[in-house]
Amino acid sequence: MTPGQEKRGEPRVPLVLRVEYPGQHHGVRDTTENLSAAGLFIRTERALAVGERLPLQVSFPGLLAPVTVEVEVVRVRLPSPEGPGGVAVKVPDDRTADRATLARLAEKAGGGAGPADLSGRVFHILVVEANPHVVEMYEYALRKLRTPTGAVEVEVRFARTGQEALVQLALAPADLVMCELNLPVLDGFALVERLRADPALAPVPVLAISTGGPEVRQRALDLGVDVYLQKPVQFADVIGTVLALLRLAS
């Protein structure tokens, strides 16, 4: 079966998972774009070649314990103005146990059961972003949050700087913080440091959506960001990641 045939034969689930590389590429973390029972697509700037085999550990903070599978690179996508580069990988035919593991993960992710009853539940999201056009896009995306049981009611608040965000969080709690890292006055890195150092705010999930290469991503994750998405970002990525961080996706 060719990679293209396999891709068409297995339904893909858009899901952002954290990817690490046990035993190699120490400290590097990437993210998935989608997965299926046969393989997944990884957003990465690593120089990986078609035919290369390597172990992957995929996880999602607080939701999915690390799962390790061996994969083979079948396609390389170069970065472009439309999105970051990456590689498509599949589980080799001789790794039947890994294929079964990935199939279970894809089935669970595709089920999207969500909570049985969201009536009366309002989720509070704080968006920290200085660009008003980006703010409009995020607000539009967040108003589209849905689970199989219905729409998700959200209250979206905004802050232009890390300092404004801290003031708002002191006045009212949030279920999720979405932040740009390049902010005036107090940048996103310092904001995350303050959040993780405050016992009352440390449990709040943080989604960073920013520009920058592997060093920026790694620094953000080391400081305690739960998920890092690189701009330009797609609506589906924002919606899927927010649902997962709010514990509304399986």
Side-chain angles (χ1 to χ4, degrees), residues 21-22 24 42 47 63 74 79 87 95 106 119 122 128 138 148 159 172 174 212 218 224 230 232-233 246:
Y21 306 88
Q24 53 185 304
I42 306 167
L63 291 178
V74 296
V87 294
R95 305 287 297 188
S119 59
V122 179
V128 193
Y138 291 163
Q218 192 62 52
Q230 185 169 335
V233 68
L246 292 177

Side-chain angles (χ1 to χ4, degrees), residues 123-131 133-145 154-162 164-166 168-169 173-183 186-189 191-192 195-196 204-210 225-229 231 233-246:
F123 293 89
H124 302 272
I125 301 175
L126 176 61
V127 176
V128 193
E129 169 63 62
N131 187 324
H133 300 294
V134 176
V135 165
E136 287 183 10
M137 185 193 80
Y138 291 163
E139 183 170 27
Y140 177 83
L142 293 172
R143 299 299 180 192
K144 300 292 183 180
L145 292 180
V154 296
E155 178 192 72
V156 186
R157 308 198 311 268
F158 300 95
R160 294 172 297 173
T161 71
E164 286 184 16
L166 290 173
Q168 289 206 35
L169 290 169
D175 297 295
L176 172 67
V177 172
M178 292 173 52
C179 74
E180 164 65 70
L181 297 175
N182 301 308
L183 297 168
L186 184 76
D187 67 20
F189 297 108
L191 171 61
V192 175
L195 293 179
R196 295 306 182 230
V204 178
V206 177
L207 166 60
I209 306 177
S210 191
V225 165
D226 292 285
V227 176
Y228 176 93
L229 297 180
K231 292 180 178 177
V233 68
Q234 298 177 352
F235 275 7
D237 292 339
V238 175
I239 292 172
T241 304
V242 168
L243 287 173
L245 288 171
L246 292 177

